[in-house]
Amino acid sequence: MARRCELTGKGVMVGNTVSHALNRHRRRFLPNLINVTLQSEALQRPVKLRISAAALRSVEHRGGLDAFLVKQDDADLSPLALGIKKEVRAALAANA
């Protein structure tokens, strides 16, 4: 399983650990990923995703999963999230 957020595309970064004596060695900065179940109002069903904690706050700030997916760029989304976005758009178009 890739260490990548399914909604924002946030992944592993690399850098240096620097000691007080300025000795450097390589390290990995891992994203804070959590498994969540978000409720989609347009689809009327829960959706399981592996997202970062920052993405979870962004979803809440934008007003839910449906609003987040509609505004989010397709390049950042995982294939699973792209499929959900397509279903949400179809459901919103059918209701309008």
Side-chain angles (χ1 to χ4, degrees), residues 1-80:
M1 191 181 294
R3 294 179 192 265
R4 185 163 297 275
C5 175
E6 292 189 86
L7 294 182
T8 61
K10 181 183 283 192
V12 177
M13 295 176 61
V14 294
N16 290 312
T17 297
V18 182
S19 71
H20 184 69
L22 298 182
N23 297 325
R24 292 171 170 86
H25 70 273
R26 301 298 281 177
R27 62 163 290 184
R28 298 171 71 202
F29 294 92
L30 301 176
N32 185 13
L33 296 179
I34 52 177
N35 294 315
V36 296
T37 302
L38 299 172
Q39 186 69 31
S40 172
E41 295 171 4
L43 301 177
Q44 298 179 348
R45 66 178 173 92
V47 177
K48 286 187 178 184
L49 294 170
R50 189 169 190 225
I51 64 174
S52 65
L56 182 60
R57 288 193 303 272
S58 297
V59 167
E60 294 297 324
H61 179 74
R62 287 193 186 174
L65 179 64
D66 301 335
F68 182 88
L69 287 174
V70 169
K71 292 181 184 178
Q72 190 68 13
D73 188 28
D74 289 349
D76 294 336
L77 297 174
S78 70
L80 173 64

